Amino acid sequence: MGLMSRSSRGTPRNSTRIRETRKTGATTNRNRRNSPKNPHISFSFKGVGRVFSWLGTLGLCLAVVGFLSVGLLYGYRYLTISPYFALKNLEIAGNLRLTSREVLDIAGLRTGMNSLLVSIDDVERKLAADPWVSAVSVRRSLPDGIAIRLEEKEPRFWVRHGGTLYYADARGELIVPVSAGRFASFPTLEVEAGAEDMAVRLPELLASLAASRMAVDVAAMSLVRLSPGRGVEVFLENDRLILSIGQEEWTENLGRLASTLADVTRRGELKDVREVRVHGSRVWVIKKGPVV
């Protein structure tokens, strides 16, 4: 009984181990059958798939960009050759010395050009470089117009420089040489050495003379001379008269000069006067002929 009892208790343990061993072996076999033989191959296929997907997206984007570029190119070409944008209305204002034809030639504009191809900055730069032009503005009016507004320099004097006679503005700054094709008569301006700084007062001088109501024809000036010793000398050709004005107390001197000329004219003696000199509070009336 004792032997039978030990034998019967030992048998189940052995059979349990066998079943566990078989179960473990079966599970291992199934895992071996289900697991890939080379795991690196699976990861490689996934990487290649991502690359192809990225390349496909990139190709689609490039195709869209190319399509848009071609569309824009053809659209731009159509607009730049379309007669709808051909220049027809070219408006020019403010030109006195320059003719409208000269303005268009300087700007490089002509009717029939495509208005979209005209560079406004380039047109303004060309016109501003002309010596007659002091300011310019250009405006585009789609579909077929361009408006040009000019401010020209106003010549007030002739100035001799380097053997050539130039037009000069109210400050004595040179504009262009005097030519037969564009001739206009102006008083000559002479600036003596040491009197260059006085030229900045020339606009004030001209305005003051025009508003002083003098008894002489100031418009008949033939010569204006700036001198460090004698101030401003104005030569009136018609009256054969010289007006000498000191630069100190400029406004007061102009008032004294106007009063003196009015008094001399009232007495009928202007024709006998050769020079009126006003410096400070003193006024000299110098008559023609010998001084008594």
Side-chain angles (χ1 to χ4, degrees):
M1 291 296 292
L3 292 174
M4 289 295 293
S5 178
R6 284 195 299 270
S7 176
S8 60
R9 285 197 299 267
T11 301
R13 285 198 299 270
N14 295 334
S15 60
T16 300
R17 291 195 189 98
I18 293 172
R19 282 196 297 270
E20 289 178 354
T21 302
R22 290 177 180 176
K23 185 184 294 186
T24 303
T27 303
T28 303
N29 292 334
R30 283 197 301 270
N31 291 338
R32 289 178 179 175
R33 286 196 300 268
N34 294 333
S35 63
K37 295 181 179 180
N38 191 350
H40 298 289
I41 297 177
S42 175
F43 290 122
S44 299
F45 279 116
K46 290 181 181 179
V48 171
R50 292 194 190 96
V51 170
F52 276 107
S53 176
W54 182 82
L55 290 176
T57 303
L58 178 61
L60 179 61
C61 293
L62 292 176
V64 172
V65 171
F67 177 78
L68 292 176
S69 300
V70 172
L72 291 174
L73 179 62
Y74 276 96
Y76 174 79
R77 184 176 180 183
Y78 170 77
L79 292 176
T80 54
I81 63 175
S82 173
Y84 179 72
F85 294 99
L87 283 178
K88 299 173 187 168
N89 302 312
L90 295 171
E91 180 184 349
I92 303 172
N95 55 317
L96 299 175
R97 303 289 169 180
L98 296 173
T99 65
S100 296
R101 183 71 265 168
E102 288 174 328
V103 172
L104 293 178
D105 289 341
I106 294 171
L109 297 175
R110 65 182 184 278
T111 56
M113 294 178 62
N114 188 282
S115 62
L116 296 178
L117 295 179
V118 175
S119 171
I120 299 300
D121 291 340
D122 189 48
V123 172
E124 289 183 342
R125 178 182 56 79
K126 290 178 180 178
L127 289 172
D130 188 86
W132 280 110
V133 177
S134 61
V136 59
S137 65
V138 181
R139 180 175 56 87
R140 192 197 324 266
S141 301
L142 293 176
D144 58 1
I146 286 182
I148 300 174
R149 297 288 184 272
L150 295 176
E151 290 184 17
E152 290 184 346
K153 298 174 184 176
E154 183 181 0
R156 301 298 300 273
F157 298 104
W158 283 348
V159 174
R160 186 168 295 280
H161 178 73
T164 303
L165 194 63
Y166 283 83
Y167 291 116
D169 62 14
R171 299 173 64 89
E173 297 180 357
L174 305 182
I175 302 176
V176 295
V178 176
S179 61
R182 189 178 280 114
F183 181 82
S185 180
F186 293 97
T188 302
L189 174 64
E190 294 181 359
V191 181
E192 294 183 357
E196 292 81 4
D197 294 341
M198 295 175 61
V200 299
R201 302 196 65 181
L202 281 174
E204 183 183 357
L205 163 67
L206 297 176
S208 299
L209 290 177
S212 62
R213 299 179 181 179
M214 293 184 182
V216 296
D217 185 11
V218 180
M221 291 186 300
S222 61
L223 173 66
V224 175
R225 177 184 294 143
L226 305 182
S227 170
R230 293 182 299 273
V232 179
E233 292 181 303
V234 179
F235 294 80
L236 302 174
E237 184 175 3
N238 293 346
D239 298 300
R240 298 182 180 276
L241 181 65
I242 303 173
L243 306 177
S244 180
I245 311 164
Q247 58 178 325
E248 294 83 8
E249 302 181 13
W250 175 258
T251 303
E252 292 79 3
N253 284 343
L254 284 175
R256 297 184 188 105
L257 177 63
S259 299
T260 302
L261 290 173
D263 181 62
V264 172
T265 302
R266 185 174 58 255
R267 290 186 294 177
E269 300 177 355
L270 181 61
K271 63 181 182 300
D272 299 324
V273 176
R274 177 172 63 88
E275 180 179 356
V276 178
R277 186 180 303 167
V278 183
H279 287 259
S281 60
R282 306 184 65 181
V283 179
W284 291 267
V285 178
I286 304 172
K287 293 187 175 182
K288 299 173 185 176
V291 178
V292 179

